[in-house]
Amino acid sequence: MDALETRELRYFTAVAEELHFGRAAERLGMAQPPLSRAIQQLERRLGVTLLERDRRGVSLTGAGQVLLHEGRAALDATTAAARRTRRVGGADSPGGSRNRLVLAVKAAASHELLQKLLDAYAAEPDAAEIEVLPSGTCEQEEMLRDGRADVALMHTPFNSLAGFDSEELLTEGQVAILPAGHPLAARETLSLADVSDVPDLPLARWPRHGTYPPGPGPEIHDQTQLAQLIALGRTMALFPDSARAWLWAEHTAVPLADAPPVVTHIAWPPHSRSLALAGLIRTAARL
């Protein structure tokens, strides 16, 4: 009675996220009637109501909210197990190395630290191949949870380390990256208040968990787009000081005097039994 099938969780999660049976059925590639029957059967088995249905639409009950949260985590775990198993067996890269780790990093952050880590680890006996997977802001968490990555460089306070083991590697300040010709770029330092509401230079917005925060700034999809929009005077962004490594001639980095420090951690799933990962963590801790 307490066991749940992956198929049931996929069905329920789709309905709970869409809050519409038709859209959920289309997303799942199935007809609506069998999807409705599957959700009703799941509710009977669990003995609870997961969804309220009325003429205004579909909404989650308290029990449904719990199952959505727990179900997402369970689906991520099963996906991660499949991905990491395929990676270790070489099935995801035919002809490639089976001794391989995927390291997720925020694009353009901690460039010097990353290079030092890769060089130091490559010198270790029996070092695994490291595939570097650049990501947007806060995507490293999701990549670790769903198995796209085995390990990640994460940055507090921007990333959450909840549910991961981690080792602190570097602490640094923050800078505002601005168009070189903007009046603020001539300042020696700035405050968070100085950059929070600049009408002609709104802060860039990165997605978090698939959605963009509200605001007038442009929605950013990748590092190259951000760099170009800053150079054109359309936006600015806040980054760790190490982001100076990717600045263009059209950019200026100004220190933020009152911004909290950014701490770079190397993070990994707590249940990992990978000897290659353990070796990488030991190397990182010695830097």
Side-chain angles (χ1 to χ4, degrees), residues 126-272:
D126 302 319
E129 175 189 337
I130 302 294
E131 177 185 338
V132 177
L133 184 61
S135 68
T137 300
C138 302
E139 288 183 344
Q140 304 99 306
E141 302 167 40
E142 297 172 19
M143 290 176 171
L144 272 187
R145 295 188 202 284
D146 67 16
R148 283 176 288 170
D150 302 297
V151 60
L153 292 184
M154 295 166 66
H155 313 276
T156 57
F158 305 116
N159 296 127
S160 170
L161 298 172
F164 301 119
D165 286 344
S166 64
E167 187 80 28
E168 184 176 319
L169 302 182
L170 174 69
T171 299
E172 58 186 320
Q174 294 190 54
V175 294
I177 299 179
L178 307 153
H182 194 276
L184 290 177
R187 302 267 295 272
E188 290 189 5
T189 63
L190 292 167
S191 68
L192 289 173
D194 291 331
V195 299
S196 63
D197 185 19
V198 182
D200 65 329
L201 207 63
L203 282 165
R205 293 181 294 140
W206 289 90
R208 185 177 179 87
H209 306 304
T211 61
Y212 286 89
E219 296 181 352
I220 301 302
H221 309 289
D222 58 54
Q223 194 69 33
T224 301
Q225 178 201 21
L226 174 64
Q228 185 170 34
L229 288 175
I230 294 175
L232 291 171
R234 302 300 178 89
T235 190
M236 64 175 159
L238 310 185
F239 270 88
D241 187 73
S242 55
R244 293 175 185 270
W246 61 264
L247 294 190
W248 295 4
E250 296 89 347
H251 301 155
T252 296
V254 180
L256 290 165
D258 60 347
V262 176
V263 183
T264 300
H265 303 255
I266 188 166
W268 64 95
H271 58 269
S272 175

Side-chain angles (χ1 to χ4, degrees), residues 39-115:
I39 298 300
Q40 291 168 356
Q41 183 180 21
L42 177 60
E43 289 178 317
R44 287 196 297 270
R45 287 183 57 231
L46 293 176
V48 297
T49 300
L50 300 171
L51 300 165
E52 296 288 358
R53 310 158 178 85
D54 57 34
R55 285 178 293 181
R56 292 175 297 178
V58 178
S59 60
L60 287 169
T61 65
Q65 291 173 356
V66 170
L67 185 57
L68 176 59
H69 175 75
E70 299 288 346
R72 282 171 170 161
L75 289 173
D76 280 347
T78 58
T79 301
R83 283 174 169 160
R84 292 191 175 113
T85 299
R86 287 174 56 81
R87 187 148 59 239
V88 169
D92 69 332
S93 181
S97 172
R98 295 192 177 192
N99 190 24
R100 182 166 63 95
L101 294 172
V102 176
L103 170 62
V105 299
K106 178 182 173 182
S110 305
H111 175 78
E112 184 178 351
L113 174 65
L114 175 59
Q115 191 61 62

